[in-house]
């Protein structure tokens, strides 16, 4: 599968790097965690229109994803729990999508993504 350049749209992604435990002013663990991500990276991919059916799809029935991304770059490092900025500037806005599933094939990768609300 080849993705036509005219169908690609700009987006940014940041890779999930892990969690670190929050420490209070006295140096005690709080029981809360900070999630850390890499710096945002620009990429161009095919972004599907919004989805809203409960049909049998590539990722199964009734999965909680609202759109899909497709790329012919089989070395793309995006993985589950990566965060995305679609139609937003990562230097000014919080992310608005999260990767929930990854489907790799011989010549392409499809990502199921869900919209999230981050304040």
């Amino acid at each position: 599968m080849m993705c036509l350049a005219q169908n690609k749209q700009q987006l940014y992604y940041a890779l999930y790097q892990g969690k670190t435990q929050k420490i209070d002013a006295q140096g005690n663990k709080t029981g809360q965690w900070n999630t850390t991500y890499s710096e945002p990276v620009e990429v161009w991919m095919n972004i599907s229109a919004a989805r809203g059916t409960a049909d049998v799809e590539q990722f199964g029935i009734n999965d909680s994803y609202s759109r899909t991304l497709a790329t012919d770059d089989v070395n793309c490092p995006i993985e589950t729990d990566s965060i995305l900025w679609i139609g937003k500037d990562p230097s000014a806005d919080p992310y608005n999508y999260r990767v929930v599933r990854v489907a790799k094939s011989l010549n392409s990768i499809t990502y199921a993504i869900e919209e999230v609300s981050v304040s």
Side-chain angles (χ1 to χ4, degrees):
M1 175 181 132
M2 293 296 294
C3 294
L4 294 175
Q6 68 186 20
N7 293 336
K8 293 181 180 180
Q9 298 176 48
Q10 180 188 43
L11 63 116
Y12 296 86
Y13 70 88
L15 301 176
Y16 173 80
Q17 292 184 324
K19 292 184 178 185
T20 56
Q21 192 156 24
K22 289 184 181 181
I23 306 294
D24 65 13
Q26 291 77 34
N28 300 316
K29 296 178 181 178
T30 64
Q32 297 176 330
W33 297 84
N34 286 326
T35 305
T36 56
Y37 294 94
S38 66
E39 290 296 316
V41 177
E42 178 186 23
V43 68
W44 290 76
M45 289 187 182
N46 184 348
I47 304 171
S48 74
R51 308 186 75 79
T53 63
D55 299 10
V56 175
E57 295 285 343
Q58 182 172 0
F59 295 100
I61 299 173
N62 292 328
D63 269 334
S64 63
Y65 67 96
S66 52
R67 299 174 96 173
T68 59
L69 303 176
T71 183
D72 54 0
D73 177 6
V74 294
N75 297 315
C76 184
I78 297 175
E79 56 197 19
T80 304
D81 292 328
S82 296
I83 54 175
L84 308 166
W85 290 261
I86 297 177
K88 294 194 172 203
D89 179 10
S91 63
D93 301 313
Y95 62 93
N96 57 347
Y97 284 88
R98 180 176 76 86
V99 177
V100 293
R101 301 283 292 271
V102 178
K104 293 185 179 188
S105 69
L106 185 61
N107 299 316
S108 66
I109 304 173
T110 303
Y111 301 96
I113 61 174
E114 69 178 353
E115 191 167 9
V116 294
S117 178
V118 178
S119 54

